[in-house]
Amino acid sequence: ETGVTQTPRHLVMGMTNKKSLKCEQHLGHNAMYWYKQSAKKPLELMFVYSLEERVENNSVPSRFSPECPNSSHLFLHLHTLQPEDSALYLCASSQDYGGASDTQYFGPGTRLTVL
Amino acid sequence: GQNIDQPTEMTATEGAIVQINCTYQTSGFNGLFWYQQHAGEAPTFLSYNVLDGLEEKGRFSSFLSRSKGYSYLLLKELQMKDSASYLCAVKDSNYQLIWGAGTKLIIKP
């Protein structure tokens, strides 16, 4: 595997379910990100981890819970979601956090549908 | 507030040239990124500009004017595979990436 991988690619869940999204980066990077992408809207940054420590939490509802067990893995735990949470959830990584030219590399995303 | 503006959708013909504009108003500036995103796929990095001027990479070029808060992505010799969304993003003074909503480019034969 190369780059940034995400599983599952598609997820349908009811509002009372609990599920987790997984992201893995094979680039040796120190920073990882979760984004939400809704149709015709800018990417919304949800969480940032640098060296396994959370550094950003942009007013995300508590029904989204991130976890970063090591610098290569990032999870997003989901529970009691709402239909408006249906979106593409993208994971990204970069060499470091906070650099001007640091480029973020993205995974293919998980298409989430909440019924 | 911080804002990135780019056209929602553009159409161009195979073999032609297209210019996708991006204007920004951000608190500080630490560089501008362009990404390409095919439907259902990951955004992929195209270019990074931090100084004024034109950067050329094969069929793709990116231009920046910091005084005007303006950038464009120029695609030459368009191919059908260039049909995608193109995302503009600016790093502000806190090194946060501020994203535009993307421009969907449709290439017609």
Side-chain angles (χ1 to χ4, degrees), chain A residues 25-73:
Chain A
Q25 58 97 0
H26 310 266
L27 300 169
H29 288 169
N30 295 316
M32 296 187 77
Y33 309 77
W34 278 118
Y35 283 95
K36 177 183 179 181
Q37 187 176 36
S38 303
K40 299 185 179 180
K41 288 186 177 180
L43 290 178
E44 297 174 46
L45 180 64
M46 300 176 73
F47 302 103
V48 181
Y49 279 80
S50 177
L51 298 171
E52 301 155 43
E53 295 290 326
R54 190 190 302 183
V55 294
E56 290 286 340
N57 176 1
N58 288 357
S59 302
V60 179
S62 59
R63 56 186 183 268
F64 295 92
S65 175
E67 179 190 0
C68 187
N70 56 63
S71 59
S72 299
H73 293 86

Side-chain angles (χ1 to χ4, degrees), chain B residues 33-86:
Chain B
F33 293 79
W34 284 98
Y35 281 80
Q36 179 191 60
Q37 186 178 22
H38 287 101
E41 297 184 14
T44 55
F45 169 72
L46 289 177
S47 66
Y48 171 70
N49 294 67
V50 68
L51 299 176
D52 288 351
L54 187 68
E55 298 266 351
E56 297 186 68
K57 264 189 199 180
R59 294 188 300 113
F60 291 11
S61 303
S62 55
F63 171 83
L64 175 67
S65 168
R66 288 171 299 172
S67 62
K68 294 182 180 178
Y70 167 70
S71 173
Y72 67 73
L73 183 69
L74 191 71
L75 290 73
K76 301 177 185 175
E77 302 168 17
L78 285 170
Q79 301 175 10
M80 297 303 292
K81 67 179 182 179
D82 298 329
S83 292
S85 288
Y86 291 86

Side-chain angles (χ1 to χ4, degrees), chain B residues 6 8 14 19 27 56 79 89 91:
Chain B
Q6 46 180 136
T8 303
E14 190 177 15
Q19 177 175 309
S27 53
E56 297 186 68
Q79 301 175 10
K91 268 202 185 174

